[in-house]
Amino acid sequence: MIPLSLEQIARVTGGQLRHGDPGAVVSGEVVIDSRRAGPGGLFAAVAGERSDGHDFAAAAVAAGATAVLATRPVTVPSVLVADVPAALAALARSVVDALPAVRIAGITGSSGKTSTKDLAAQLVERLGPTIAPAGSYNNEFGHPLTVLRADAATRYLVLELSARGIGHIAYLCRVAPPRYGVVLNVGHAHAGEFGGLDQVARAKGELAEALPADGVAILNADDPRVLAMAERTEARVVTFSSAPGSDAPVRAVDIRLDDLGRPGFTLLTPEGSAPVSLRLHGAHNVPNALAAAALARELGMDLDGIADGLGAAVARSRWRMEVHQRPDGVTVINDAYNANPESVRAAIDALAHLAQGGRAFAILGHMAELGGTSRASHEDIGEYAARIGDSGLAGLIAVGEEAAPLLDGARRVRSWTGEALAAPDGAAALELLANRLKPSDVVLVKASRAAHLEGVAAALEGEAGQ
Ligand SMILES: Nc1ncnc2c1ncn2[C@@H]1O[C@H](COP(=O)(O)OP(=O)(O)OP(=O)(O)O)[C@@H](O)[C@H]1O
Ligand SMILES: [Mg+2]
């Protein structure tokens, strides 16, 4: 963070300084986890479900933090504010305003924000010092905390913007106004909370609306709801596409997948073409890579640099399409980070591809927050899984009560010869699978975050005596 005195922090946040020297300076990281508080930092105390950050105020200062941002009095140097996220937002905005040379990119969409942000960051880092969040740090806490890491050396901010309702992205864009905005797709993630896809489109399009006239809106031409956002922005529009026959300026042609489902393609831009081989798994990473390429191109990276950077980029955030080959020949796809209908379909496609010549199993938990369409969505996904390849999945294991409609959907496919299995929990799913698994089988593990199936994936990866 750029150094700020406690007096400045109180002024920017509209807070009151308590027990502290007004001239004491915060120059370290701003954190909401007291265990991560360090020398010169600022600890923002937040009341969570299980614990209240205010109880750790003294520990944070003992660990070196200069002060605490708090909503009730504590006994250590602190700035008392009415609302911690609003205070973090105000602080972040003041940092952005103090660093006018920093170029800010925001990435949103229903699926693939983190994957794209990680790809884009690995490109942009080649251009200069870049701050990008770790994992999915994309909400009213993670977003300002990421922005606050910027300092005088920073040249680029690559931010992930999430929304669970109308106005959320507009808010994040006020905290750190992006000049470059990427919209990936409009899908069913949290569609229940939004009240339908049109509302999701309205919310995601707030990024396009927030862009200035000298900004760039990078839009997925293959998603009509995203393409329509071109009407909602003053910024110049650049589209990308992985669809055959598209005339988008940034596109992928000759897309193919290797044995492990890693895409290769020819990247076409107005400057020419270049071959790209991704290290990431799944065809859905092609649009993600194109979005990252389009952003890097706007920031001045040449085509060879983009192709090279995409080929070198690795998965930085865990549990998204991790492909693990066990010594006994079983392949595990750990995509347990999260699930919505689009990302489950993408994962099933990857499973089908990897299982060519072997059998495919899927351990699927429920997809959360789908609202009234939840049952039908689960049934449709079950049906989709039962239709892959020549004979569908060899086994579909639905974990938990809420995932059971997956099995009903699979059973709708009369020609399906696989097994529909219900497991009350992850341990039961592992047991069902253990009796069936043979070398050269491929297993997908995927569910919404709340299901925590990463433990199931880890157990599977660790089996077979490696
Ligand atoms: N373009 C895409 N289309 C469909 N699914 C995708 C796409 N990109 C990634 N996925 C899948 O979606 C899941 C989440 O990916 P990722 O974490 O990148 O998305 P996100 O938008 O950041 O999610 P969150 O809203 O949870 O932060 C993973 O299972 C991933 O494989
Ligand atoms: Mg994310």
Side-chain angles (χ1 to χ4, degrees):
M1 174 162 131
I2 55 173
L4 288 177
S5 69
L6 293 185
E7 190 178 14
Q8 284 172 306
I9 291 173
R11 185 160 11 95
V12 166
T13 59
Q16 287 173 349
L17 182 58
R18 296 279 175 93
H19 311 298
D21 166 7
V25 169
V26 171
S27 56
E29 212 173 329
V30 185
V31 297
I32 54 173
D33 180 344
S34 62
R35 291 164 300 186
R36 293 193 48 223
L42 180 70
F43 168 57
V46 179
E49 275 168 28
R50 263 170 285 164
S51 61
D52 182 345
H54 294 86
D55 297 339
F56 304 97
V61 170
T66 302
V68 176
L69 202 58
T71 49
R72 60 176 168 76
V74 289
T75 54
V76 289
S78 51
V79 176
L80 268 189
V81 295
D83 180 63
V84 167
L88 292 173
L91 265 183
R93 179 62 194 246
S94 74
V95 165
V96 165
D97 290 344
L99 300 170
V102 173
R103 300 216 252 174
I104 303 175
I107 298 171
T108 197
S110 294
S111 302
K113 295 179 293 295
T114 295
S115 306
T116 304
K117 175 266 299 172
D118 286 345
L119 281 169
Q122 288 174 78
L123 293 180
V124 178
E125 279 162 8
R126 294 175 167 223
L127 294 171
T130 301
I131 300 279
S136 249
Y137 239 40
N138 61 14
N139 63 14
E140 82 261 41
F141 291 107
H143 181 76
L145 290 176
T146 303
V147 174
L148 285 165
R149 283 168 47 210
D151 61 22
T154 305
R155 287 292 160 268
Y156 304 97
L157 279 172
V158 178
L159 302 169
E160 173 174 340
L161 312 180
S162 83
R164 283 167 177 262
I166 301 296
H168 293 187
I169 288 179
Y171 172 83
L172 298 177
C173 289
R174 286 195 294 276
V175 173
R179 189 155 143 211
Y180 305 85
V182 175
V183 188
L184 296 167
N185 45 51
V186 170
H188 290 85
H190 314 302
E193 287 162 70
F194 281 101
L197 284 187
D198 290 338
Q199 293 296 94
V200 177
R202 217 182 119 199
K204 306 285 178 196
E206 290 169 7
L207 173 55
E209 285 170 355
L211 298 170
D214 66 350
V216 186
I218 297 170
L219 302 178
N220 184 355
D222 301 336
D223 185 323
R225 287 189 173 86
V226 175
L227 192 57
M229 293 173 193
E231 304 295 320
R232 294 168 60 187
T233 187
E234 290 175 18
R236 180 163 55 84
V237 172
V238 173
T239 58
F240 61 92
S241 168
S242 54
S246 166
D247 60 358
V250 177
R251 58 191 192 274
V253 295
D254 303 329
I255 300 170
R256 64 225 164 258
L257 300 179
D258 72 7
D259 289 351
L260 291 177
R262 288 173 299 209
F265 57 90
T266 302
L267 173 63
L268 297 184
T269 73
E271 291 71 48
S273 68
V276 171
S277 301
L278 296 181
R279 295 184 185 206
L280 309 181
H281 303 266
H284 58 276
N285 276 309
V286 176
N288 299 344
L290 292 175
L295 173 62
R297 177 175 168 264
E298 289 300 330
L299 294 173
M301 186 173 267
D302 66 22
L303 183 58
D304 289 342
I306 293 170
D308 193 56
L310 287 175
V314 294
R316 278 192 175 164
S317 303
R318 294 292 318 271
W319 308 326
R320 289 146 178 104
M321 290 304 277
E322 290 176 20
V323 174
H324 181 92
Q325 290 180 292
R326 290 189 349 191
D328 66 351
V330 169
T331 302
V332 180
I333 306 175
N334 179 354
D335 200 36
Y337 173 71
N338 215 343
N340 61 58
E342 288 79 18
S343 75
V344 181
R345 274 173 211 262
I348 291 171
D349 288 346
L351 169 65
H353 183 86
L354 262 72
Q356 283 165 13
R359 297 184 309 160
F361 287 88
I363 300 181
L364 300 182
H366 83 295
M367 302 175 286
E369 298 165 347
L370 294 177
T373 61
S374 180
R375 164 162 271 279
S377 294
H378 282 83
E379 288 175 2
D380 289 349
I381 292 291
E383 180 174 339
Y384 188 78
R387 288 192 192 283
I388 63 163
D390 295 330
S391 51
L393 298 182
L396 172 58
I397 304 177
V399 185
E401 190 96 10
E402 287 166 290
L406 290 165
L407 304 176
D408 300 332
R411 290 192 196 98
R412 293 204 295 236
V413 182
R414 290 281 157 83
S415 59
W416 184 47
T417 54
E419 288 182 279
L421 303 161
D425 54 30
L430 283 170
E431 221 174 287
L432 285 170
L433 189 68
N435 301 327
R436 291 167 172 82
L437 218 47
K438 292 191 217 146
S440 85
D441 287 348
V442 184
V443 188
L444 166 70
V445 183
K446 187 166 180 70
S448 274
R449 188 87 291 276
H452 289 297
L453 286 197
E454 65 273 8
V456 169
L460 266 175
E461 287 167 2
E463 274 172 19
Q466 52 153 357

